[in-house]
Amino acid sequence: MSKNKNNKPVWSSRINQKNISAFQKIGSSLNFDKRLFREDISASIVHVEMLEKQKIISLSIKNKIVWGLKRILNEIIKKKFTFDERNEDIHMSIEKRLFEILGDDAGFIHTARSRNDQVLTDLKIWLKKSTNEIIEELDMTMKIFLKSAEKNIDTIMPGFTHLKNAQPISFAHYLNAYIEMFLRDKKRFKNNLENLNENPLGVAAFSGTSFNIDRIYTTKKLNFEKPTRNSIDTVSDRDFVCDFLYSVSICSIHISRFSEEFIIWNSDIFNLINLNDKIVTGSSIMPQKKNPDPLEYLRGKSGITMGNLISMMTILKGLPLSYFKDLQDDKELIFSSFDHIKSCLRVLREVLTNFTPNKKRMLKLTKVGHITATDLADFIVKDLNYPFRKAYSITSKIVNMAEKKGKVINELSLKEIRSIDKKINENVLKVIDTRNSVISKKSYGGTSFENIKKVIKKYKKEING
Ligand code: ARG
Protein backbone atom coordinates (compact mmCIF):
# COMPACT_ATOMS: atom_id res chain seq x y z
CA MET A 1 0.00 0.00 0.00
CA SER A 2 1.00 3.61 -0.38
CA LYS A 3 3.61 4.76 2.07
CA ASN A 4 4.74 8.17 3.24
CA LYS A 5 8.32 8.99 4.10
CA ASN A 6 8.09 6.83 7.24
CA ASN A 7 7.36 3.93 4.94
CA LYS A 8 3.77 3.62 6.09
CA PRO A 9 0.62 3.94 3.99
CA VAL A 10 -0.77 7.50 3.92
CA TRP A 11 -3.87 6.18 5.67
CA SER A 12 -1.86 4.46 8.44
CA SER A 13 -3.01 7.15 10.87
CA ARG A 14 -6.49 5.64 10.51
CA ILE A 15 -5.94 2.00 9.65
CA ASN A 16 -3.89 0.13 12.22
CA GLN A 17 -3.22 -3.21 10.62
CA LYS A 18 -1.09 -3.93 7.59
CA ASN A 19 -3.11 -5.20 4.64
CA ILE A 20 -2.79 -8.87 3.78
CA SER A 21 -0.19 -9.35 1.07
CA ALA A 22 -2.55 -11.10 -1.36
CA PHE A 23 -4.67 -7.96 -1.34
CA GLN A 24 -1.64 -5.76 -1.87
CA LYS A 25 -0.96 -7.72 -5.02
CA ILE A 26 -4.47 -7.64 -6.42
CA GLY A 27 -4.91 -4.00 -5.40
CA SER A 28 -1.82 -2.69 -7.12
CA SER A 29 -2.22 -1.20 -10.59
CA LEU A 30 1.30 0.17 -10.78
CA ASN A 31 2.46 -2.40 -13.30
CA PHE A 32 0.15 -1.01 -15.91
CA ASP A 33 -0.69 2.55 -14.82
CA LYS A 34 2.96 3.57 -14.66
CA ARG A 35 2.43 4.32 -18.33
CA LEU A 36 0.63 7.45 -17.15
CA PHE A 37 3.67 9.01 -15.45
CA ARG A 38 4.07 11.88 -17.90
CA GLU A 39 0.39 12.80 -17.75
CA ASP A 40 0.36 12.47 -13.97
CA ILE A 41 3.33 14.77 -13.52
CA SER A 42 2.15 17.43 -15.97
CA ALA A 43 -1.35 17.46 -14.42
CA SER A 44 0.17 17.75 -10.93
CA ILE A 45 2.32 20.68 -12.03
CA VAL A 46 -0.71 22.51 -13.43
CA HIS A 47 -2.65 21.66 -10.25
CA VAL A 48 -0.08 23.22 -7.91
CA GLU A 49 0.36 26.23 -10.21
CA MET A 50 -3.37 26.78 -9.94
CA LEU A 51 -3.24 26.35 -6.14
CA GLU A 52 -0.55 29.01 -5.95
CA LYS A 53 -2.36 31.36 -8.33
CA GLN A 54 -5.44 31.06 -6.09
CA LYS A 55 -3.27 31.68 -3.00
CA ILE A 56 -4.12 28.26 -1.58
CA ILE A 57 -0.42 27.38 -1.34
CA SER A 58 2.61 29.66 -1.20
CA LEU A 59 4.91 30.46 -4.10
CA SER A 60 7.86 28.77 -2.43
CA ILE A 61 5.93 25.54 -1.79
CA LYS A 62 4.71 25.57 -5.38
CA ASN A 63 8.24 26.07 -6.67
CA LYS A 64 9.55 23.27 -4.50
CA ILE A 65 6.85 20.85 -5.65
CA VAL A 66 7.29 21.72 -9.34
CA TRP A 67 11.03 21.26 -8.98
CA GLY A 68 10.52 17.91 -7.22
CA LEU A 69 8.07 16.70 -9.85
CA LYS A 70 10.44 17.60 -12.69
CA ARG A 71 13.20 15.74 -10.93
CA ILE A 72 10.96 12.68 -10.62
CA LEU A 73 10.06 12.91 -14.31
CA ASN A 74 13.73 12.88 -15.14
CA GLU A 75 14.36 9.92 -12.86
CA ILE A 76 11.59 7.91 -14.52
CA ILE A 77 12.78 8.76 -18.03
CA LYS A 78 16.35 7.84 -17.12
CA LYS A 79 15.09 4.60 -15.53
CA LYS A 80 16.45 5.64 -12.14
CA PHE A 81 13.06 5.48 -10.47
CA THR A 82 12.15 2.42 -8.43
CA PHE A 83 8.63 1.25 -9.07
CA ASP A 84 7.50 -0.59 -5.95
CA GLU A 85 4.22 -2.49 -6.23
CA ARG A 86 3.53 -1.78 -2.58
CA ASN A 87 2.93 1.84 -3.56
CA GLU A 88 -0.30 0.78 -5.24
CA ASP A 89 -0.44 3.04 -8.26
CA ILE A 90 1.47 5.66 -10.23
CA HIS A 91 -0.09 8.53 -8.27
CA MET A 92 0.98 7.16 -4.89
CA SER A 93 4.41 6.20 -6.21
CA ILE A 94 5.12 9.71 -7.39
CA GLU A 95 3.73 11.25 -4.21
CA LYS A 96 5.88 8.95 -2.09
CA ARG A 97 9.02 9.91 -4.00
CA LEU A 98 8.08 13.57 -3.63
CA PHE A 99 8.00 13.06 0.16
CA GLU A 100 11.46 11.49 -0.02
CA ILE A 101 12.76 14.51 -1.92
CA LEU A 102 10.90 17.36 -0.18
CA GLY A 103 9.82 16.06 3.19
CA ASP A 104 6.48 17.16 4.63
CA ASP A 105 6.07 20.04 2.16
CA ALA A 106 5.25 17.41 -0.46
CA GLY A 107 1.95 16.95 1.37
CA PHE A 108 0.59 20.23 -0.05
CA ILE A 109 0.32 18.64 -3.49
CA HIS A 110 -2.85 16.78 -2.66
CA THR A 111 -4.76 19.87 -1.50
CA ALA A 112 -8.16 20.14 -3.22
CA ARG A 113 -7.82 16.98 -5.26
CA SER A 114 -8.33 13.26 -4.91
CA ARG A 115 -6.89 10.35 -6.79
CA ASN A 116 -10.39 10.00 -8.24
CA ASP A 117 -10.14 13.17 -10.32
CA GLN A 118 -6.38 12.77 -10.69
CA VAL A 119 -6.55 9.38 -12.40
CA LEU A 120 -9.31 10.51 -14.75
CA THR A 121 -7.37 13.61 -15.74
CA ASP A 122 -4.29 11.54 -16.52
CA LEU A 123 -6.31 8.98 -18.40
CA LYS A 124 -8.20 11.47 -20.53
CA ILE A 125 -4.98 13.28 -21.48
CA TRP A 126 -3.41 9.93 -22.40
CA LEU A 127 -6.46 8.83 -24.37
CA LYS A 128 -6.61 12.03 -26.38
CA LYS A 129 -2.99 11.61 -27.43
CA SER A 130 -3.44 7.93 -28.18
CA THR A 131 -6.67 8.47 -30.10
CA ASN A 132 -4.81 10.90 -32.35
CA GLU A 133 -2.07 8.32 -32.79
CA ILE A 134 -4.61 5.73 -33.93
CA ILE A 135 -6.11 8.25 -36.36
CA GLU A 136 -2.66 8.70 -37.89
CA GLU A 137 -2.20 4.93 -38.11
CA LEU A 138 -5.57 4.68 -39.86
CA ASP A 139 -4.54 7.34 -42.37
CA MET A 140 -1.33 5.47 -43.14
CA THR A 141 -3.26 2.24 -43.56
CA MET A 142 -5.87 3.76 -45.86
CA LYS A 143 -3.14 5.24 -48.04
CA ILE A 144 -1.79 1.76 -48.65
CA PHE A 145 -5.24 0.42 -49.48
CA LEU A 146 -5.57 3.31 -51.88
CA LYS A 147 -2.28 2.53 -53.60
CA SER A 148 -3.36 -1.03 -54.15
CA ALA A 149 -6.80 0.06 -55.36
CA GLU A 150 -5.23 2.46 -57.88
CA LYS A 151 -3.19 -0.39 -59.35
CA ASN A 152 -6.19 -2.68 -59.62
CA ILE A 153 -8.98 -0.61 -61.09
CA ASP A 154 -9.41 -2.97 -64.02
CA THR A 155 -8.61 -6.17 -62.19
CA ILE A 156 -11.83 -8.10 -62.57
CA MET A 157 -12.88 -10.79 -60.15
CA PRO A 158 -16.07 -12.46 -59.03
CA GLY A 159 -17.77 -10.75 -56.11
CA PHE A 160 -19.33 -13.15 -53.66
CA THR A 161 -22.52 -13.45 -51.68
CA HIS A 162 -22.75 -16.50 -49.43
CA LEU A 163 -19.18 -17.15 -50.66
CA LYS A 164 -20.68 -18.18 -54.03
CA ASN A 165 -19.70 -16.35 -57.20
CA ALA A 166 -22.36 -13.68 -57.60
CA GLN A 167 -21.51 -10.73 -59.87
CA PRO A 168 -18.29 -9.45 -61.42
CA ILE A 169 -16.56 -6.57 -59.64
CA SER A 170 -13.34 -4.62 -59.83
CA PHE A 171 -10.82 -5.73 -57.20
CA ALA A 172 -10.27 -2.00 -56.48
CA HIS A 173 -13.94 -1.67 -55.55
CA TYR A 174 -13.46 -4.41 -52.99
CA LEU A 175 -10.38 -2.67 -51.53
CA ASN A 176 -12.25 0.63 -51.44
CA ALA A 177 -14.93 -1.01 -49.31
CA TYR A 178 -12.29 -1.26 -46.58
CA ILE A 179 -11.34 2.39 -47.04
CA GLU A 180 -14.98 3.24 -46.29
CA MET A 181 -14.82 1.16 -43.11
CA PHE A 182 -11.60 2.78 -41.95
CA LEU A 183 -12.95 6.25 -42.72
CA ARG A 184 -15.87 5.45 -40.45
CA ASP A 185 -13.44 4.21 -37.80
CA LYS A 186 -11.52 7.45 -38.08
CA LYS A 187 -14.73 9.43 -37.64
CA ARG A 188 -15.62 7.35 -34.59
CA PHE A 189 -12.25 8.07 -32.95
CA LYS A 190 -12.55 11.78 -33.83
CA ASN A 191 -16.03 11.95 -32.31
CA ASN A 192 -14.68 10.50 -29.08
CA LEU A 193 -12.42 13.51 -28.69
CA GLU A 194 -15.39 15.71 -27.78
CA ASN A 195 -16.08 13.90 -24.49
CA LEU A 196 -12.39 13.42 -23.85
CA ASN A 197 -12.03 17.19 -23.93
CA GLU A 198 -13.89 17.68 -20.65
CA ASN A 199 -11.54 18.26 -17.74
CA PRO A 200 -12.18 16.18 -14.59
CA LEU A 201 -9.52 17.86 -12.45
CA GLY A 202 -10.96 19.69 -9.44
CA VAL A 203 -14.03 17.55 -8.69
CA ALA A 204 -11.86 16.00 -5.93
CA ALA A 205 -13.29 12.84 -4.33
CA PHE A 206 -16.76 13.25 -5.86
CA SER A 207 -18.55 16.25 -4.39
CA GLY A 208 -16.23 19.10 -5.32
CA THR A 209 -14.11 21.11 -2.86
CA SER A 210 -14.48 24.10 -0.55
CA PHE A 211 -11.11 25.46 -1.69
CA ASN A 212 -11.39 28.39 -4.08
CA ILE A 213 -9.91 26.50 -7.04
CA ASP A 214 -9.93 27.67 -10.67
CA ARG A 215 -11.02 24.84 -12.95
CA ILE A 216 -11.07 27.05 -16.01
CA TYR A 217 -7.36 27.71 -15.52
CA THR A 218 -6.45 24.00 -15.29
CA THR A 219 -8.75 23.30 -18.24
CA LYS A 220 -6.85 25.74 -20.43
CA LYS A 221 -3.41 24.72 -19.21
CA LEU A 222 -4.09 21.05 -19.76
CA ASN A 223 -5.56 21.65 -23.24
CA PHE A 224 -9.06 20.55 -22.37
CA GLU A 225 -12.01 22.45 -23.81
CA LYS A 226 -14.20 22.75 -20.73
CA PRO A 227 -14.48 21.45 -17.18
CA THR A 228 -16.90 18.61 -16.44
CA ARG A 229 -20.15 19.86 -14.94
CA ASN A 230 -21.16 17.32 -12.31
CA SER A 231 -18.63 16.11 -9.78
CA ILE A 232 -20.44 12.84 -9.03
CA ASP A 233 -20.78 11.92 -12.68
CA THR A 234 -17.18 12.90 -13.32
CA VAL A 235 -15.62 10.31 -11.04
CA SER A 236 -18.18 7.63 -11.91
CA ASP A 237 -18.07 8.08 -15.67
CA ARG A 238 -16.24 5.53 -17.76
CA ASP A 239 -18.40 6.01 -20.88
CA PHE A 240 -15.40 7.50 -22.63
CA VAL A 241 -13.48 4.31 -21.85
CA CYS A 242 -16.24 2.22 -23.44
CA ASP A 243 -16.32 4.58 -26.44
CA PHE A 244 -12.62 4.03 -26.96
CA LEU A 245 -12.83 0.26 -26.48
CA TYR A 246 -15.82 0.07 -28.83
CA SER A 247 -14.08 2.13 -31.51
CA VAL A 248 -11.06 -0.15 -31.27
CA SER A 249 -13.29 -3.22 -31.38
CA ILE A 250 -15.11 -2.16 -34.53
CA CYS A 251 -11.84 -1.25 -36.18
CA SER A 252 -10.37 -4.62 -35.28
CA ILE A 253 -13.51 -6.36 -36.54
CA HIS A 254 -12.91 -4.66 -39.90
CA ILE A 255 -9.33 -5.87 -39.86
CA SER A 256 -10.51 -9.32 -38.89
CA ARG A 257 -13.03 -9.55 -41.72
CA PHE A 258 -10.39 -8.50 -44.20
CA SER A 259 -7.98 -11.07 -42.78
CA GLU A 260 -10.49 -13.88 -42.90
CA GLU A 261 -11.21 -13.02 -46.51
CA PHE A 262 -7.54 -12.98 -47.43
CA ILE A 263 -6.97 -16.27 -45.61
CA ILE A 264 -9.72 -17.81 -47.73
CA TRP A 265 -8.44 -16.21 -50.92
CA ASN A 266 -4.96 -17.45 -50.14
CA SER A 267 -6.18 -21.06 -49.75
CA ASP A 268 -5.16 -23.56 -52.41
CA ILE A 269 -8.79 -23.89 -53.44
CA PHE A 270 -9.43 -20.18 -54.03
CA ASN A 271 -5.88 -19.14 -54.91
CA LEU A 272 -6.93 -15.55 -55.63
CA ILE A 273 -3.92 -13.91 -53.98
CA ASN A 274 -0.28 -14.70 -53.32
CA LEU A 275 1.40 -13.73 -50.07
CA ASN A 276 5.13 -13.20 -50.29
CA ASP A 277 7.56 -14.85 -47.90
CA LYS A 278 7.71 -11.82 -45.60
CA ILE A 279 4.19 -12.47 -44.39
CA VAL A 280 4.00 -16.26 -44.15
CA THR A 281 5.50 -18.77 -41.76
CA GLY A 282 6.50 -22.40 -42.16
CA SER A 283 5.31 -25.58 -40.51
CA SER A 284 7.41 -27.52 -38.00
CA ILE A 285 6.62 -30.82 -39.73
CA MET A 286 5.32 -30.16 -43.25
CA PRO A 287 8.27 -28.80 -45.22
CA GLN A 288 6.15 -27.52 -48.09
CA LYS A 289 3.84 -25.29 -46.03
CA LYS A 290 3.56 -21.50 -46.18
CA ASN A 291 0.98 -20.40 -43.65
CA PRO A 292 -0.71 -16.99 -43.47
CA ASP A 293 0.03 -16.58 -39.74
CA PRO A 294 0.06 -12.75 -39.67
CA LEU A 295 -3.46 -12.70 -41.08
CA GLU A 296 -4.56 -15.23 -38.50
CA TYR A 297 -2.99 -13.09 -35.81
CA LEU A 298 -4.98 -10.10 -37.08
CA ARG A 299 -8.20 -12.12 -37.10
CA GLY A 300 -7.58 -13.48 -33.61
CA LYS A 301 -6.69 -10.19 -31.93
CA SER A 302 -10.20 -8.86 -32.52
CA GLY A 303 -11.29 -11.42 -29.92
CA ILE A 304 -9.13 -9.67 -27.35
CA THR A 305 -10.26 -6.13 -28.16
CA MET A 306 -13.93 -7.16 -28.12
CA GLY A 307 -13.31 -8.96 -24.84
CA ASN A 308 -11.85 -5.76 -23.38
CA LEU A 309 -15.00 -3.86 -24.28
CA ILE A 310 -17.24 -6.52 -22.75
CA SER A 311 -15.06 -6.57 -19.62
CA MET A 312 -15.41 -2.81 -19.13
CA MET A 313 -19.15 -2.84 -19.74
CA THR A 314 -19.53 -5.73 -17.31
CA ILE A 315 -17.53 -3.88 -14.66
CA LEU A 316 -19.78 -0.83 -15.07
CA LYS A 317 -23.11 -2.59 -15.23
CA GLY A 318 -24.81 -2.30 -11.86
CA LEU A 319 -21.98 -0.26 -10.30
CA PRO A 320 -23.51 2.45 -8.12
CA LEU A 321 -22.15 6.00 -8.19
CA SER A 322 -19.50 7.19 -7.52
CA TYR A 323 -15.95 5.77 -7.30
CA PHE A 324 -15.27 2.10 -6.62
CA LYS A 325 -12.05 0.18 -6.90
CA ASP A 326 -13.68 -1.95 -9.60
CA LEU A 327 -12.92 0.92 -11.93
CA GLN A 328 -9.16 0.62 -11.54
CA ASP A 329 -8.98 -2.10 -14.20
CA ASP A 330 -10.15 0.31 -16.91
CA LYS A 331 -6.57 1.25 -17.68
CA GLU A 332 -5.34 -2.28 -18.25
CA LEU A 333 -8.15 -2.80 -20.78
CA ILE A 334 -7.43 0.49 -22.53
CA PHE A 335 -3.70 -0.16 -22.80
CA SER A 336 -4.29 -3.67 -24.08
CA SER A 337 -6.72 -2.50 -26.78
CA PHE A 338 -4.47 0.39 -27.76
CA ASP A 339 -1.38 -1.80 -28.08
CA HIS A 340 -3.26 -4.42 -30.07
CA ILE A 341 -4.88 -2.05 -32.53
CA LYS A 342 -1.60 -0.26 -33.15
CA SER A 343 0.27 -3.44 -33.87
CA CYS A 344 -2.62 -4.83 -35.93
CA LEU A 345 -2.70 -1.75 -38.16
CA ARG A 346 1.05 -2.01 -38.61
CA VAL A 347 0.85 -5.70 -39.56
CA LEU A 348 -2.08 -4.99 -41.86
CA ARG A 349 0.04 -2.47 -43.75
CA GLU A 350 2.76 -5.09 -44.14
CA VAL A 351 0.22 -7.54 -45.53
CA LEU A 352 -1.01 -4.97 -48.03
CA THR A 353 2.45 -4.22 -49.32
CA ASN A 354 3.41 -7.88 -49.55
CA PHE A 355 0.66 -9.56 -51.51
CA THR A 356 -0.18 -9.79 -55.18
CA PRO A 357 -3.59 -10.47 -56.64
CA ASN A 358 -3.62 -13.56 -58.85
CA LYS A 359 -5.28 -11.75 -61.75
CA LYS A 360 -5.43 -14.76 -64.06
CA ARG A 361 -7.15 -16.87 -61.47
CA MET A 362 -9.53 -14.01 -60.64
CA LEU A 363 -10.54 -13.76 -64.26
CA LYS A 364 -10.84 -17.53 -64.60
CA LEU A 365 -13.18 -17.65 -61.64
CA THR A 366 -15.45 -15.11 -63.31
CA LYS A 367 -16.21 -17.88 -65.80
CA VAL A 368 -17.76 -19.96 -63.07
CA GLY A 369 -21.29 -19.52 -61.77
CA HIS A 370 -23.06 -17.56 -64.52
CA ILE A 371 -22.09 -14.33 -62.80
CA THR A 372 -23.62 -12.06 -65.43
CA ALA A 373 -27.11 -13.56 -65.05
CA THR A 374 -28.37 -10.39 -63.32
CA ASP A 375 -27.07 -8.35 -66.28
CA LEU A 376 -28.98 -10.63 -68.62
CA ALA A 377 -32.22 -10.23 -66.66
CA ASP A 378 -31.73 -6.42 -66.54
CA PHE A 379 -31.14 -6.38 -70.32
CA ILE A 380 -34.36 -8.27 -70.96
CA VAL A 381 -36.26 -5.77 -68.79
CA LYS A 382 -34.80 -2.82 -70.69
CA ASP A 383 -34.92 -4.33 -74.17
CA LEU A 384 -38.24 -6.11 -74.12
CA ASN A 385 -39.97 -3.98 -71.52
CA TYR A 386 -40.79 -7.05 -69.43
CA PRO A 387 -41.44 -6.83 -65.71
CA PHE A 388 -38.29 -7.81 -63.79
CA ARG A 389 -39.86 -10.99 -62.41
CA LYS A 390 -40.64 -12.25 -65.94
CA ALA A 391 -37.12 -11.40 -67.08
CA TYR A 392 -35.77 -13.20 -64.00
CA SER A 393 -37.70 -16.33 -64.90
CA ILE A 394 -36.53 -16.27 -68.56
CA THR A 395 -32.95 -15.81 -67.37
CA SER A 396 -33.30 -18.77 -65.00
CA LYS A 397 -34.34 -20.88 -67.98
CA ILE A 398 -31.32 -19.69 -69.94
CA VAL A 399 -29.05 -20.55 -66.98
CA ASN A 400 -30.62 -24.01 -66.67
CA MET A 401 -30.16 -24.62 -70.38
CA ALA A 402 -26.51 -23.48 -70.25
CA GLU A 403 -25.88 -25.73 -67.28
CA LYS A 404 -27.31 -28.72 -69.13
CA LYS A 405 -24.94 -27.99 -72.01
CA GLY A 406 -21.99 -27.69 -69.62
CA LYS A 407 -21.52 -24.02 -70.44
CA VAL A 408 -21.83 -20.69 -68.62
CA ILE A 409 -24.30 -18.16 -70.01
CA ASN A 410 -21.69 -15.95 -71.60
CA GLU A 411 -20.49 -18.89 -73.69
CA LEU A 412 -23.92 -19.38 -75.26
CA SER A 413 -24.59 -18.38 -78.85
CA LEU A 414 -27.32 -15.94 -79.78
CA LYS A 415 -29.27 -18.84 -81.28
CA GLU A 416 -29.13 -20.79 -78.04
CA ILE A 417 -30.31 -17.77 -76.04
CA ARG A 418 -33.13 -17.11 -78.47
CA SER A 419 -34.34 -20.67 -78.10
CA ILE A 420 -35.77 -19.50 -74.76
CA ASP A 421 -37.20 -16.16 -76.02
CA LYS A 422 -36.82 -15.34 -79.68
CA LYS A 423 -37.37 -11.61 -79.12
CA ILE A 424 -34.00 -11.16 -77.39
CA ASN A 425 -31.74 -9.06 -79.65
CA GLU A 426 -28.06 -9.59 -80.45
CA ASN A 427 -26.82 -6.86 -78.07
CA VAL A 428 -27.34 -9.44 -75.37
CA LEU A 429 -23.92 -10.91 -76.16
CA LYS A 430 -22.21 -7.66 -75.16
CA VAL A 431 -24.27 -7.35 -72.00
CA ILE A 432 -23.34 -10.75 -70.65
CA ASP A 433 -19.63 -10.11 -71.07
CA THR A 434 -17.95 -9.90 -67.66
CA ARG A 435 -15.98 -6.73 -68.31
CA ASN A 436 -18.96 -4.94 -69.81
CA SER A 437 -20.95 -5.90 -66.76
CA VAL A 438 -18.44 -4.11 -64.50
CA ILE A 439 -18.35 -1.06 -66.79
CA SER A 440 -22.15 -0.86 -66.74
CA LYS A 441 -22.48 -0.55 -62.94
CA LYS A 442 -22.45 3.22 -63.07
CA SER A 443 -25.06 3.84 -60.40
CA TYR A 444 -23.69 5.96 -57.54
CA GLY A 445 -21.46 3.74 -55.39
CA GLY A 446 -21.35 0.96 -58.01
CA THR A 447 -18.28 -0.90 -59.27
CA SER A 448 -17.81 0.78 -62.70
CA PHE A 449 -14.21 1.80 -63.49
CA GLU A 450 -15.44 5.35 -63.96
CA ASN A 451 -16.95 5.48 -60.47
CA ILE A 452 -13.85 3.98 -58.91
CA LYS A 453 -11.57 6.58 -60.47
CA LYS A 454 -13.79 9.37 -59.16
CA VAL A 455 -14.03 7.97 -55.67
CA ILE A 456 -10.27 7.41 -55.44
CA LYS A 457 -9.80 11.13 -56.05
CA LYS A 458 -12.21 11.87 -53.19
CA TYR A 459 -10.44 9.47 -50.84
CA LYS A 460 -7.15 11.17 -51.53
CA LYS A 461 -8.59 14.45 -50.26
CA GLU A 462 -10.43 12.90 -47.31
CA ILE A 463 -7.72 10.71 -45.88
CA ASN A 464 -5.47 13.49 -44.67
CA GLY A 465 -8.34 15.81 -43.83
N1 ARG B 1 -5.49 3.66 -8.98
C1 ARG B 1 -6.81 4.12 -8.73
C2 ARG B 1 -7.68 3.85 -9.97
O1 ARG B 1 -7.14 3.80 -11.01
C3 ARG B 1 -6.84 5.56 -8.45
C4 ARG B 1 -8.07 6.03 -7.77
C5 ARG B 1 -8.08 5.62 -6.37
N2 ARG B 1 -9.19 6.16 -5.67
C6 ARG B 1 -9.65 5.67 -4.50
N3 ARG B 1 -10.68 6.25 -4.01
N4 ARG B 1 -9.11 4.62 -3.94
O2 ARG B 1 -8.86 3.70 -9.93
Side-chain angles (χ1 to χ4, degrees):
M1 290 296 118
S2 314
K3 309 282 169 69
N4 62 16
K5 65 175 178 171
N6 303 317
N7 214 26
K8 289 210 177 114
V10 292
W11 47 79
S12 63
S13 43
R14 169 78 176 138
I15 295 170
N16 297 322
Q17 294 216 44
K18 202 168 166 261
N19 277 164
I20 52 167
S21 63
F23 169 62
Q24 280 195 357
K25 226 177 165 42
I26 201 178
S28 171
S29 57
L30 186 60
N31 257 340
F32 47 88
D33 68 18
K34 62 182 172 201
R35 270 175 92 153
L36 296 174
F37 74 92
R38 284 178 201 280
E39 291 73 17
D40 196 69
I41 289 175
S42 51
S44 287
I45 289 177
V46 169
H47 177 66
V48 291
E49 281 171 353
M50 181 278 291
L51 292 178
E52 189 273 324
K53 182 184 89 69
Q54 296 300 95
K55 309 216 175 335
I56 298 167
I57 61 170
S58 70
L59 181 64
S60 71
I61 293 284
K62 181 216 79 178
N63 287 343
K64 264 185 166 179
I65 294 178
V66 170
W67 173 82
L69 288 170
K70 286 185 178 161
R71 184 170 147 182
I72 295 171
L73 178 66
N74 208 29
E75 287 174 2
I76 301 178
I77 292 170
K78 296 212 165 111
K79 301 204 179 336
K80 286 184 185 144
F81 187 93
T82 320
F83 288 103
D84 181 345
E85 254 201 354
R86 285 170 304 174
N87 288 323
E88 196 180 326
D89 57 26
I90 185 65
H91 325 292
M92 287 308 207
S93 304
I94 290 174
E95 188 177 317
K96 184 193 169 231
R97 180 72 189 121
L98 200 63
F99 267 100
E100 284 169 2
I101 298 171
L102 302 182
D104 281 345
D105 284 348
F108 283 102
I109 194 177
H110 216 54
T111 317
R113 79 167 183 194
S114 147
R115 272 186 301 160
N116 295 353
D117 57 342
Q118 189 181 354
V119 67
L120 280 165
T121 307
D122 297 357
L123 192 54
K124 280 189 164 180
I125 297 174
W126 188 91
L127 262 179
K128 274 206 286 178
K129 179 191 76 185
S130 305
T131 294
N132 282 318
E133 254 177 63
I134 296 177
I135 290 173
E136 272 171 38
E137 294 274 344
L138 280 168
D139 277 342
M140 286 192 269
T141 309
M142 285 189 282
K143 278 183 197 158
I144 300 194
F145 266 95
L146 206 51
K147 259 192 198 160
S148 193
E150 269 187 299
K151 278 193 268 171
N152 284 292
I153 294 176
D154 62 6
T155 304
I156 294 173
M157 63 174 292
F160 309 100
T161 61
H162 311 269
L163 219 51
K164 299 278 285 180
N165 292 6
Q167 292 178 337
I169 55 165
S170 151
F171 179 47
H173 198 50
Y174 160 85
L175 293 167
N176 286 349
Y178 282 93
I179 294 187
E180 291 288 339
M181 290 176 234
F182 291 126
L183 280 171
R184 284 198 298 276
D185 290 334
K186 181 174 162 179
K187 207 196 267 176
R188 226 170 264 119
F189 281 109
K190 274 193 167 172
N191 288 343
N192 293 344
L193 291 173
E194 192 180 335
N195 285 336
L196 288 173
N197 262 325
E198 294 190 0
N199 175 21
L201 191 62
V203 304
F206 78 102
S207 67
T209 174
S210 61
F211 287 101
N212 177 29
I213 59 171
D214 183 350
R215 294 190 66 205
I216 304 291
Y217 175 88
T218 57
T219 296
K220 277 196 196 129
K221 288 280 172 183
L222 291 171
N223 289 324
F224 285 107
E225 272 167 16
K226 52 183 175 194
T228 53
R229 290 195 303 189
N230 180 296
S231 58
I232 302 176
D233 172 57
T234 302
V235 300
S236 319
D237 169 31
R238 293 297 182 281
D239 296 1
F240 69 91
V241 174
C242 293
D243 288 341
F244 177 78
L245 296 175
Y246 172 71
S247 306
V248 169
S249 298
I250 292 282
C251 181
S252 57
I253 288 172
H254 293 152
I255 297 173
S256 177
R257 292 181 77 172
F258 173 82
S259 306
E260 167 69 355
E261 215 147 31
F262 259 38
I263 291 166
I264 294 172
W265 292 8
N266 179 59
S267 69
D268 296 317
I269 305 166
F270 270 76
N271 191 22
L272 287 176
I273 53 164
N274 301 310
L275 304 178
N276 86 23
D277 281 2
K278 281 194 201 158
I279 50 164
V280 292
T281 56
S283 150
S284 65
I285 179 172
M286 296 170 280
Q288 86 287 7
K289 288 297 292 291
K290 286 187 174 182
N291 296 327
D293 279 17
L295 285 164
E296 293 166 14
Y297 158 85
L298 292 177
R299 184 178 54 187
K301 291 296 175 209
S302 59
I304 294 177
T305 58
M306 288 157 68
N308 289 343
L309 170 64
I310 298 294
S311 299
M312 190 67 233
M313 294 199 295
T314 312
I315 289 170
L316 284 177
K317 180 198 160 297
L319 197 68
L321 309 184
S322 61
Y323 178 83
F324 289 88
K325 203 70 176 192
D326 313 40
L327 295 169
Q328 175 159 279
D329 284 332
D330 58 358
K331 285 163 287 299
E332 200 170 8
L333 302 171
I334 287 176
F335 296 146
S336 152
S337 284
F338 174 75
D339 291 341
H340 282 309
I341 199 69
K342 254 192 105 167
S343 79
C344 284
L345 285 167
R346 207 166 296 160
V347 171
L348 177 60
R349 292 199 291 276
E350 287 302 325
V351 170
L352 288 165
T353 39
N354 285 293
F355 88 95
T356 38
N358 189 347
K359 295 185 186 182
K360 269 193 196 150
R361 171 77 181 154
M362 285 178 168
L363 203 59
K364 203 169 160 205
L365 260 196
T366 63
K367 308 271 184 291
V368 178
H370 314 280
I371 67 173
T372 51
T374 319
D375 301 276
L376 175 53
D378 289 348
F379 174 76
I380 295 172
V381 169
K382 287 183 234 168
D383 195 44
L384 304 180
N385 208 16
Y386 288 170
F388 181 76
R389 279 287 161 248
K390 186 172 174 185
Y392 177 103
S393 149
I394 292 168
T395 307
S396 304
K397 284 180 193 146
I398 297 173
V399 170
N400 288 340
M401 182 247 303
E403 216 164 53
K404 253 189 217 152
K405 296 187 174 201
K407 294 181 177 179
V408 284
I409 53 169
N410 43 352
E411 288 167 345
L412 293 172
S413 67
L414 185 61
K415 199 171 154 211
E416 285 169 317
I417 294 173
R418 279 185 175 158
S419 71
I420 304 290
D421 188 324
K422 55 179 183 308
K423 288 196 256 36
I424 298 173
N425 87 44
E426 75 259 16
N427 287 337
V428 70
L429 297 177
K430 283 187 213 139
V431 165
I432 56 179
D433 171 75
T434 319
R435 192 179 164 83
N436 287 341
S437 160
V438 175
I439 292 171
S440 76
K441 301 287 172 60
K442 290 190 179 123
S443 59
Y444 191 84
T447 188
S448 73
F449 303 139
E450 214 178 284
N451 278 357
I452 295 172
K453 282 178 199 154
K454 273 192 215 151
V455 88
I456 282 180
K457 273 191 198 151
K458 284 190 193 156
Y459 291 148
K460 281 188 177 163
K461 279 193 205 140
E462 266 173 61
I463 285 173
N464 279 327

